[in-house]
Amino acid sequence: MFFRTGLIHVTGGLCLPMALLADDLMPLGDEFNDATTFAQWQDLGVVEGWVTPSYEEADIDTTTAGRFRIQPGALTWFAHLRGLLMFKEVDGDFVATTRLRVLSRHNPGDPTEVPNRSFSLTGIFAHQPRTIVSAAPTPYTTDPVLPGTNGSDYVANTENYIFLSYGSAGNPGTRQFEIKATRNSNSLLYFDSNGIDQNETEVWLQMVRIGDTVVCLRKHSQGGNWIVENRYPNADHPFPDFGTTLQVGITAYTDWPTASPYNSGGLNSSFHFNYAPPAGGNPDLVSEVDYFRFQRPDASIDEADLQAMSVSYDPATNVSANPPVLLSASPGASPYLGDNANVELGLVGAPASISVNELDGTATITLTRSGANTDEAMTLAYTVVSDTAAAGIDVSAVSGTVEWAASDSLSKDLVLPLIADDLPEGEERLELAFEVSSGPAMVGPGVPMLTELVIGDHPFEAWIWNLYAGSPPPGSTGVGDDPDGNGFGQLFEYALEPGSALLGGQLTALDAPGAGGAAHGLRFAPRSEGIRLTVQRSTDLDQWDDLARIEDGGDWQILEPGTTIDEPAEGVSGTTLVSPPATSEPVEFLRLMAEKL
């Protein structure tokens, strides 16, 4: 027996406590409407290092819209022979459901014909992971070698799996299912056509695991009844040597006549076929998968309910009963399996990255919800994952939720308050991890589960940071600090760049006629991002009146009527002249004030 670990493991992904998630398996599902999700599926042949590809073609939403299309080479699953498996890793109990279409290759004019090579099938597959990482010989050779030699770390008699597939089995040209259980490379199977509509190219398959019990179900039309095919363990088939973690996904295999002699040749011959199958053969299968959905079993169903289910398998004939046993014959399980455990997934979208500035005060992340089941309420949980920025220091939020009511598919803005400081730090980054905590939805295909938040310094602190190449010395970061001793504090140095004293510029007071007429006022090259600049005048150095103001990169505002602003033309560098209105006072003083926002 095993115990639920409380974690879902996704290779290359994110591990979060199950307490955050109502159904942590849903994000593993795929509706196959985005080609980028192909990279999320692992190929067992690659994982175990067999070198030779297990498929001739495979793609998502490319050759056939909305489908995972797989065209396998000549290979099969039996004993030591290894077929194709595209999988996700799942820990603990699960319900996996798929809808797939079986096509053939022998008649290009009508691919809907039944495959005419025996054991050409595709379906749902659960495989016990092995420690093999370099199965093929190293250096690679197509010459026969023994298992475990020439650099191979293959371990014999370690195949453990269960699968339920659809296509053509022992009677080529007839639509059949096959179900197989293998324990330590000892395979037992059966197949037949009972319950199958011979005109139906598609099939719906479901595999349920609770504890050490696995049940396989099938149906053969959209509105058809779910058939309970078999349950493992049973008295007639070995139960695989399963641990907590399984590789669950899609298999496709074809052309048993090409592989059969290698099975008859024993372990060494089978091993050679696995890494160096002969060219050619007669593969006659194309698998087109419409969706593959993962869910946790309903909390109301337990292992005893699965073990009490009536099944179609007839041990007296080693085939399925005719008529087969329907899911409805098991009232303790039927409310929780079949279509009731096959929830079409809606999508949740989050941006991959957004950039903000401390000065903005908040960061807004727009979240979207689309697809199926938006008529049901949904809650999206988020957690701040610290990087160079820190939750509670640079952003006040640590975790929370965003909620959609039933029938609400409008986008939602998650607004995170930013915490500004007076420290030059350069760009800081943190990530927000999103998971669906309730409701039938998943993080969308091609949309990351993480949003990166890039927080820029206040413009003044960013200037300090860059001025000193990321290492500002003590006494250089304050607004009034004057490290070069020129009488201008750092805030003025920033405000007057490129006309700053630090860089050879200056602030000039003009009180004489210029070439173009009166030139009376203050002339300077202002920079106002993140600060406020105000030009003032006084006649007694006590009372000061505001003439004009510019702040945070905006436009000049005239505060005293008669004040004029002479700026350089747009796109032309130069200085700005702020001239006060005429006055009868005999003495006039002008000054420039700078304030950090």
Side-chain angles (χ1 to χ4, degrees), residues 81-400:
L81 292 173
R82 176 196 57 83
L84 174 150
L85 174 60
M86 306 296 289
F87 70 89
K88 303 284 184 76
E89 281 193 354
V90 179
D91 286 347
D93 300 346
F94 66 85
V95 178
T97 310
T98 187
R99 175 184 180 179
L100 50 82
R101 175 190 299 151
V102 174
L103 302 176
S104 62
R105 300 165 60 180
H106 64 266
N107 179 7
D110 185 8
T112 64
E113 290 185 1
V114 185
N116 64 10
R117 294 291 281 181
S118 62
F119 295 98
S120 296
L121 300 121
T122 178
I124 192 167
F125 199 108
H127 184 260
Q128 174 65 37
R130 301 190 289 180
T131 58
I132 301 168
V133 295
S134 183
T138 304
Y140 183 73
T141 174
T142 57
D143 297 328
V145 298
L146 299 178
T149 62
N150 293 67
S152 167
D153 64 356
Y154 174 80
V155 180
N157 304 315
T158 56
E159 284 286 13
N160 285 274
Y161 56 78
I162 292 175
F163 69 75
L164 176 63
S165 59
Y166 182 63
S168 179
N171 301 102
T174 302
R175 299 191 192 280
Q176 298 172 296
F177 75 88
E178 177 190 345
I179 191 166
K180 183 181 296 182
T182 296
R183 179 181 176 87
N184 298 326
S185 300
N186 176 30
S187 294
L188 291 178
L189 65 110
Y190 66 94
F191 56 87
D192 61 48
S193 297
N194 291 339
I196 293 178
D197 179 351
Q198 287 294 315
N199 296 314
E200 182 58 76
T201 61
E202 291 195 310
V203 68
W204 290 251
L205 304 175
Q206 189 170 93
M207 184 178 292
V208 185
R209 177 185 187 172
I210 300 180
D212 281 335
T213 302
V214 174
V215 170
C216 297
L217 303 91
R218 57 188 171 97
K219 72 173 185 175
H220 297 278
S221 64
Q222 178 71 55
N225 294 309
W226 282 94
I227 296 168
V228 181
E229 185 49 47
N230 211 337
R231 175 184 59 255
Y232 300 89
N234 62 53
D236 298 285
H237 301 99
F239 188 70
D241 187 12
F242 280 168
T244 301
T245 301
L246 295 181
Q247 298 163 329
V248 183
I250 304 159
T251 187
Y253 54 100
T254 179
D255 193 15
W256 167 252
T258 295
S260 176
Y262 294 87
N263 174 66
S264 301
L267 172 61
N268 295 343
S269 182
S270 296
F271 172 70
H272 180 233
F273 177 80
N274 286 343
Y275 74 81
N282 291 286
D284 189 31
L285 177 81
V286 175
S287 171
E288 291 191 338
V289 189
D290 183 38
Y291 57 76
F292 201 100
R293 298 170 184 158
F294 290 93
Q295 290 151 271
R296 291 290 181 193
D298 190 286
S300 300
I301 188 172
D302 59 21
E303 189 170 9
D305 293 318
L306 292 192
Q307 293 172 347
M309 291 178 69
S310 301
V311 302
S312 298
Y313 172 68
D314 181 356
T317 58
N318 196 41
V319 295
S320 184
N322 191 13
V325 175
L326 304 183
L327 177 60
S328 57
S330 300
S334 58
Y336 311 107
L337 302 181
D339 289 331
N340 292 326
N342 180 30
V343 179
E344 188 175 358
L345 304 178
L347 306 180
V348 178
S353 178
I354 65 169
S355 296
V356 293
N357 190 278
E358 284 182 354
L359 192 62
D360 297 337
T362 58
T364 300
I365 300 170
T366 299
L367 305 166
T368 60
R369 183 190 188 194
S370 61
N373 288 304
T374 54
D375 58 329
E376 298 186 41
M378 193 197 75
T379 300
L380 187 70
Y382 67 88
T383 303
V384 175
V385 182
S386 297
D387 189 2
T388 53
I393 297 176
D394 296 287
V395 293
S396 60
V398 175
S399 61

Side-chain angles (χ1 to χ4, degrees), residues 440-488:
M442 60 179 283
V443 174
V447 180
M449 297 168 67
L450 301 176
T451 292
E452 182 182 52
L453 181 61
V454 181
I455 305 175
D457 262 346
H458 185 286
F460 169 66
E461 270 89 46
W463 177 78
I464 294 286
W465 182 263
N466 293 328
L467 184 65
Y468 295 100
S471 299
S476 67
T477 62
V479 296
D481 289 345
D482 183 15
D484 59 359
N486 66 354
F488 286 93

Side-chain angles (χ1 to χ4, degrees), residues 411-501:
S411 61
K412 305 292 182 185
D413 285 340
L414 171 58
V415 180
L416 301 177
L418 302 176
I419 302 174
D421 55 41
D422 295 324
L423 301 175
E425 300 164 310
E427 279 190 349
E428 297 178 286
R429 300 169 185 269
L430 56 80
E431 290 182 319
L432 279 82
F434 292 101
E435 290 286 356
V436 176
S437 61
S438 68
M442 60 179 283
V443 174
V447 180
M449 297 168 67
L450 301 176
T451 292
E452 182 182 52
L453 181 61
V454 181
I455 305 175
D457 262 346
H458 185 286
F460 169 66
E461 270 89 46
W463 177 78
I464 294 286
W465 182 263
N466 293 328
L467 184 65
Y468 295 100
S471 299
S476 67
T477 62
V479 296
D481 289 345
D482 183 15
D484 59 359
N486 66 354
F488 286 93
Q490 291 287 59
L491 191 63
F492 265 99
E493 299 277 16
Y494 166 76
L496 298 178
E497 190 185 26
S500 70

